[in-house]
Amino acid sequence: MREELGVASGERHELCRGLHAEQNVIIQAAYHGVSIKGATLYCTNLPCSICSKMLINAGICEIIYQEGYADPMAEEMLKAAGVKVTQIDD
């Protein structure tokens, strides 16, 4: 649907039919009764703003990622929440 409408990456998240990996990890942790409060998240891309909100509320304290993401609001929210964010090289 996003491709059909020409929606750019990082925009109109409500049109996405899938879950981002960050959302799935929160759901799976809850499903299996595993606390992620204080955890470090390793991911390929910097989370989007929706995932960032969820990760902040889930208690993630650090994010280590490989590539950026076209969502400057996510970076602002993570910084404001005190989540340590580190980009690594291949």
Side-chain angles (χ1 to χ4, degrees):
M1 178 183 289
R2 294 171 52 89
E3 289 177 5
E4 290 173 13
L5 296 173
V7 177
S9 179
E11 297 179 8
R12 302 285 315 268
H13 298 283
E14 72 277 7
L15 296 176
C16 185
R17 293 182 180 169
L19 286 178
H20 287 186
E22 299 90 343
Q23 295 167 349
N24 196 42
V25 76
I26 293 167
I27 293 166
Q28 288 297 312
Y31 181 81
H32 293 286
V34 177
S35 174
I36 56 175
K37 181 179 180 181
T40 298
L41 174 74
Y42 292 84
C43 50
T44 305
N45 293 81
L46 183 66
C48 69
S49 58
I50 292 174
C51 289
S52 293
K53 287 186 252 185
M54 294 175 74
L55 294 166
I56 291 164
N57 283 305
I60 296 292
C61 64
E62 182 176 10
I63 297 172
I64 299 174
Y65 72 99
Q66 201 169 30
E67 299 175 14
Y69 190 80
D71 193 343
M73 190 168 93
E75 294 179 66
E76 293 169 14
M77 285 190 301
L78 292 166
K79 183 178 180 180
V83 176
K84 182 179 178 186
V85 178
T86 305
Q87 184 174 12
I88 58 172
D89 295 324
D90 286 337

